[in-house]
Amino acid sequence: MLKIKPLDLDEAAGLRGYADVRIAAQAVDHPGEPASSRDRIIASLREASPDFSEFVRLVALRDGEVVGIAAVGLRTRLAVGSITVHPRYRRQGIGTALLDALLPELRAGGREALENRVVTKGSAGEHWALARGFHVTASRVVQRLTVADVEPESWELSAPVGYRVERWIGATPEHLLVSVASTRRAIHDAPDTARDPEWTPELVRAAEAEDLAAGVEHRVVVAVEEATGLVVAFTDVQLYPDDFEHTVWHDTVVAPRHRARGLARFVKAHMLRWLLTDRPELERIDTGTAASNFPMIRVNERLGFVTAREVVVVSRSV
């Protein structure tokens, strides 16, 4: 008999089972890609996240064994996450049972939509989602930089004429705050960014405070136009506690009037040099880009990123 219940962070057996489902699914769904250890997965469950106010995590048990999990982060009206079934127990209705248990909880909490952003395109997971009321809202490529495979000399780029670089960890310097928010809003020009926030100075400060509270090191590199002193290109990376070998690149955006001048590649190359200087143990960096955003895909390729897989974003009303 299948039993579904919330994950208890104080129950060692449940935590091990949760992590083991993740590890087993990774080995089958993404063979050859680096996987987290059981200890790292369990540790991450106790870490706060600047991206979500709270989490809902469910486990499906059969005869005391964890055979499937659901994990979603909550925002004001949106839940983002995934349902994962151990490969040995797929096609037995476990994923659907987890979804059926999850939806009422999300409705009760005032969420309007459930979204999974990393479903491999054309996979059984995509077919399952479409059969259960999800629809594809975007297509993205996951690109990966493996540090050992790249010559760091390719990141030695000079600032384009008329611009200078600035960088910081944590809080944006006050004199750059307004132009940082303005430039970040330009990300809406890129494909498939409908759910990105409408950045304001207040929202920038709120996001920085969330990072600080979660123990996340937020690194930012910008290009400043010399003539105006305004930020015209922005890129950021969040470094999480205890994950020293891997990170995920977040936003990169250039103000419309300053595009096609090499600024995206310049700020990202500067970030790479900075990261590797301070964190020589860093082994890989992942980033996601809209499949139709060919300019950014090419920028990443010139820096040493290669496409690992293509994913779709699936969403449904709760």
Side-chain angles (χ1 to χ4, degrees):
M1 181 177 178
L2 191 69
K3 178 182 179 182
I4 296 175
K5 68 174 189 175
L7 175 66
D8 186 345
L9 295 183
D10 295 320
E11 182 188 350
L15 292 174
R16 289 194 298 269
Y18 178 99
D20 290 345
V21 168
R22 287 263 307 268
I23 292 168
Q26 166 81 15
V28 171
D29 298 336
H30 308 299
E33 293 192 10
S36 295
S37 67
R38 178 196 277 176
D39 289 345
R40 178 69 197 113
I41 292 171
I42 292 173
S44 71
L45 296 174
R46 294 188 170 88
E47 295 171 357
S49 168
D51 298 319
F52 303 107
S53 58
E54 57 182 309
F55 290 89
V56 174
R57 298 184 179 98
L58 304 177
V59 292
L61 299 109
R62 179 175 288 167
D63 299 325
E65 179 185 0
V66 178
V67 295
I69 61 176
V72 298
L74 304 182
R75 295 179 178 169
T76 304
R77 292 185 173 85
L78 176 68
V80 180
S82 61
I83 292 172
T84 307
V85 177
H86 193 292
R88 285 202 305 268
Y89 300 101
R90 291 178 177 176
R91 300 183 180 275
Q92 299 178 29
I94 295 170
T96 301
L98 281 163
L99 178 64
D100 290 343
L102 181 63
L103 292 176
E105 186 164 350
L106 298 180
R107 281 196 297 271
R111 273 71 196 184
E112 298 174 357
L114 171 61
E115 191 174 89
N116 186 338
R117 298 180 174 179
V118 288
V119 178
T120 299
K121 187 173 183 178
S123 68
E126 180 184 359
H127 297 311
W128 177 88
L130 295 178
R132 282 153 188 83
F134 290 83
H135 58 279
V136 174
T137 60
S139 180
R140 300 174 67 80
V141 294
V142 175
Q143 293 178 285
R144 171 168 297 129
L145 185 145
T146 303
V147 174
D149 295 342
V150 181
E151 292 294 335
E153 291 79 8
S154 64
W155 306 329
E156 297 289 342
L157 302 179
S158 300
V161 175
Y163 302 92
R164 70 174 187 272
V165 69
E166 292 201 28
R167 69 189 193 190
W168 59 85
I169 297 174
T172 303
E174 190 64 35
H175 70 285
L176 297 177
L177 182 60
V178 172
S179 61
V180 161
S182 176
T183 294
R184 295 198 72 172
R185 286 196 295 274
I187 199 169
H188 290 282
D189 294 348
D192 302 330
T193 56
R195 294 192 183 275
D196 278 50
E198 287 289 345
W199 289 101
T200 64
E202 294 76 19
L203 189 55
V204 171
R205 287 290 188 234
E208 292 168 350
E210 290 176 356
D211 281 339
L212 182 63
V216 174
E217 181 179 288
H218 186 202
R219 294 193 176 211
V220 176
V221 174
V222 301
V224 175
E225 186 182 27
E226 295 277 17
T228 64
L230 298 177
V231 170
V232 297
F234 171 98
T235 194
D236 68 331
V237 171
Q238 291 171 314
L239 302 175
Y240 285 77
D242 303 321
D243 193 358
F244 296 101
E245 297 176 352
H246 167 251
T247 191
V248 177
W249 209 300
H250 285 258
D251 293 339
T252 300
V253 58
V254 179
R257 191 169 64 85
H258 300 269
R259 291 173 184 166
R261 303 182 188 185
L263 288 171
R265 184 178 172 216
F266 169 66
V267 294
K268 295 189 82 161
H270 189 95
M271 177 72 83
L272 285 168
R273 297 199 308 272
W274 187 20
L275 287 174
L276 270 296
T277 297
D278 291 356
R279 292 206 173 190
E281 66 273 35
L282 192 63
E283 295 179 357
R284 74 184 195 279
I285 302 171
D286 290 336
T287 189
T289 305
S292 56
N293 192 350
F294 302 114
M296 190 59 69
I297 291 171
R298 286 195 293 269
V299 165
N300 292 336
E301 289 173 343
R302 294 182 70 184
L303 293 168
F305 286 84
V306 297
T307 297
R309 66 182 188 276
E310 189 168 354
V311 301
V312 291
V313 179
V314 295
S315 177
R316 61 157 288 168
S317 166
V318 304

